[in-house]
Amino acid sequence: MLDKFGIAKRIAKELQDGYYVNLGIGIPTLVANYVPQGIEVILQSENGLLGIGPFPFEEDVDADLINAGKQTVTTTKGSSFFDSAMSFGMIRSGRVDLTVLGAMEVADNGDIANWKIPGKMVKGMGGAMDLVASAKNIIVAMQHVNKAGESKLLGQCSLPITGLGCVKKVVTELGVFDITPEGFKCIEYAPGVSLDYIKEKTLGRLVIADDVKEMSID
Amino acid sequence: MLNKVVKNAEEAIKDIQDGATIMLGGFGLCGIPENSISALVKKGVKNLTCISNNAGVDDFGIGLMLKTRQVKKMIASYVGENAEFERQLLSGELEVELIPQGTLATRCMAAGYGMPAIYTPAGVGTEVAEGKETRVFDGKTYLMEHAFKSDYAIVKAWKGDTHGNLIFRATSRNFNPLMAMAGKITIVEVEELVQPGELDPDMIHTPGIYVNRIFKGENYEKRIEQITITKRS
């Protein structure tokens, strides 16, 4: 079974040289730490930065330079700044190659719910609805089950939807799942996790790929 | 002769009346018009509708106007950093409309470009789409979203000249140039106010035609929500 760093490491293997990538808050942000050697990816921050660099040294902290999680960051060589309309313009017009998001629920048809729990304080969708409606490749990074032990991979989302039929792949602590017309297709299982256990923890339609294999993350 | 320069924030906002709709630039606390917010609190105008990506924190940004109960309605994309906001929302004192961030930006842009509405895929199939006109283009469904109408836009720029030409800095640009284009009256506070000709025309983000009033702000706190640093090894 993977921890959150393992999930991030596995998703990093999806990165390709020259990709423009938007990473959501939480586990997705960790993906930036595991970009494979020898490839260059440009990180997009929807508040108006292409080319997010590492956190600044203490003396370089700049209140005018933050990421979408409102953390202080730096630029990289070749960075650019832009306004919020252009930021979502590059997302909407399909220029961003890969979007990695967290989720509360994913359905076996690719629907995603990640912005609202009825009855609890609603904080808002931020850029999530724009991202899921437009990104050409969306990978969800999340725990397979919620705190109550219930599957987050469902036949149908029970929480308010963020976007329809948009998720392409889900990576959890248990495995890697492609969204296919047959539902979640398990293509890899995490070390030490049995396919039976994955079946038990997956409520949506699940098929096992013929060439399913153990995940390698290093 | 163009005369857009006002003395300070108090003078810039002095005609804003109760019930006005105001756009406020910034993302989180980054690039917010600090001086103008303080002046609005001091003036005490009430029943405001505020359009801004976020609602500040308890003791800074738009949070200051929430504390004094000056905001009737908040239109934003993400509001989670503010306990007083949550209290007013749950008690029904505050009306809130949450909209996707890109939709918020583009509705400002549409206003500034003189277009009545835009089509966006964001929110299709969600509760955001309820009651909205949809249209299919090339097999994909889009929502029609209207350009914002606002009485005032209040933004923060890094540098500006007395004609209202503006340059923003780093990610404090965010919604500021979009809102600057979208207000019926646009008020700008800058860190540095210079004479015409001192800014390179090629470097201008917002042409002065969109700006009605400009002043040099002072005592910027520029509070940071999350200070994250790399430790030197």
Side-chain angles (χ1 to χ4, degrees):
Chain A
M1 200 175 299
L2 303 177
D3 59 11
K4 61 182 180 178
F5 301 102
I7 294 173
K9 277 185 194 171
R10 174 59 189 82
I11 291 174
K13 299 185 100 171
E14 302 289 321
L15 300 172
Q16 291 180 26
D17 198 21
Y19 260 17
Y20 289 94
V21 180
N22 182 291
L23 300 175
I25 293 162
I27 300 175
T29 305
L30 298 173
V31 174
N33 301 329
Y34 304 110
V35 177
Q37 291 243 314
I39 75 166
E40 186 175 21
V41 300
I42 310 286
L43 300 177
Q44 199 250 17
S45 192
E46 62 266 26
N47 57 319
L49 167 60
L50 265 178
I52 309 174
F55 295 145
F57 293 122
E58 198 163 5
E59 64 272 26
D60 297 328
V61 165
D62 180 349
D64 289 339
L65 182 46
I66 62 170
N67 64 17
K70 286 132 189 163
Q71 298 170 311
T72 48
V73 293
T74 55
T75 54
T76 56
K77 282 182 184 163
S79 284
S80 57
F81 296 117
F82 35 85
D83 65 54
S84 302
M86 187 179 283
S87 180
F88 285 94
M90 58 187 74
I91 290 164
R92 220 180 280 119
S93 63
R95 263 73 174 183
V96 176
D97 299 289
L98 175 64
T99 295
V100 184
L101 289 171
M104 298 168 185
E105 294 176 346
V106 175
D108 59 24
N109 63 354
D111 292 355
I112 179 172
N114 71 348
W115 79 282
K116 181 176 184 180
I117 302 176
K120 292 209 174 155
M121 171 60 190
V122 179
K123 296 188 169 195
M125 65 292 280
M129 282 191 184
D130 305 274
L131 281 160
V132 301
S134 301
K136 52 187 178 189
N137 189 7
I138 298 175
I139 299 180
V140 165
M142 68 174 189
Q143 302 296 325
H144 207 97
V145 296
N146 64 21
K147 288 196 177 94
E150 298 157 345
S151 179
K152 294 166 71 172
L153 282 69
L154 305 171
Q156 200 177 354
C157 291
S158 65
L159 294 169
I161 292 285
T162 310
L164 298 173
C166 48
V167 177
K168 299 284 191 291
K169 194 186 283 283
V170 182
V171 179
T172 76
E173 75 278 19
L174 302 185
V176 181
F177 306 87
D178 283 338
I179 305 290
T180 69
E182 293 77 46
F184 298 108
K185 185 180 211 173
C186 179
I187 58 169
E188 294 174 21
Y189 51 89
V193 173
S194 72
L195 291 172
D196 282 340
Y197 188 72
I198 288 173
K199 284 177 190 163
E200 185 190 319
K201 295 295 179 190
T202 306
L203 262 185
R205 291 174 300 147
L206 176 71
V207 291
I208 307 294
D210 295 337
D211 55 350
V212 67
K213 59 179 192 223
E214 184 172 294
M215 195 190 296
S216 102
I217 52 170
D218 291 310
Chain B
M1 192 167 146
L2 291 179
N3 186 19
K4 300 184 179 186
V5 179
V6 294
K7 200 169 71 190
N8 54 27
E10 282 73 28
E11 195 183 326
I13 61 117
K14 72 177 177 202
D15 61 344
I16 297 184
Q17 301 294 318
D18 288 358
T21 296
I22 305 176
M23 291 178 161
L24 294 136
F27 179 92
L29 301 178
C30 182
I32 59 173
E34 293 181 22
N35 280 231
S36 302
I37 291 170
S38 298
L40 286 167
V41 171
K42 201 167 142 196
K43 182 173 160 71
V45 276
K46 293 211 170 350
N47 291 320
L48 300 173
T49 295
C50 292
I51 303 170
S52 187
N53 190 55
N54 312 88
V57 295
D58 273 328
D59 58 348
F60 203 59
I62 293 175
L64 295 170
M65 293 159 65
L66 290 165
K67 204 188 263 178
T68 46
R69 310 278 299 279
Q70 291 171 269
V71 183
K72 179 187 68 175
K73 181 176 181 181
M74 189 75 223
I75 300 174
S77 89
Y78 190 82
V79 294
E81 322 293 348
N82 193 318
E84 175 61 15
F85 182 97
E86 184 171 350
R87 192 196 65 71
Q88 290 185 23
L89 175 61
L90 296 174
S91 69
E93 295 161 66
L94 179 68
E95 206 181 318
V96 178
E97 186 181 335
L98 293 169
I99 59 180
Q101 195 176 137
T103 301
L104 182 70
T106 314
R107 289 175 68 186
C108 295
M109 191 195 77
Y113 277 73
M115 299 185 298
I118 53 109
Y119 286 96
T120 176
V124 168
T126 76
E127 57 187 58
V128 167
E130 282 166 19
K132 286 182 186 152
E133 192 176 321
T134 60
R135 192 162 162 185
V136 176
F137 295 94
D138 297 328
K140 184 166 173 168
T141 305
Y142 295 79
L143 294 184
M144 189 174 80
E145 298 275 10
H146 289 271
F148 279 124
K149 291 190 175 79
S150 71
D151 302 309
Y152 295 88
I154 307 180
V155 309
K156 154 82 194 326
W158 179 39
K159 292 181 182 180
D161 68 20
T162 57
H163 282 187
N165 295 304
L166 307 177
I167 296 176
F168 302 89
R169 183 172 177 276
T171 55
S172 71
R173 190 183 316 185
N174 55 63
F175 288 85
N176 281 302
L178 302 161
M179 292 182 171
M181 296 167 68
K184 211 177 285 168
I185 293 175
T186 292
I187 296 167
V188 185
E189 54 179 87
V190 292
E191 289 177 55
E192 209 176 310
L193 182 62
V194 302
Q195 292 303 310
E198 289 186 44
L199 302 177
D200 178 351
D202 265 333
M203 297 295 129
I204 302 294
H205 297 130
T206 299
I209 193 168
Y210 286 108
V211 174
N212 301 93
R213 300 171 195 165
I214 188 165
F215 67 93
K216 185 185 176 309
E218 48 196 24
N219 301 323
Y220 282 103
E221 178 178 337
K222 292 201 183 182
R223 195 181 295 186
I224 297 171
E225 281 180 73
Q226 314 257 359
I227 297 183
T228 43
I229 57 168
T230 298
K231 287 224 174 6
R232 288 194 189 275
S233 48

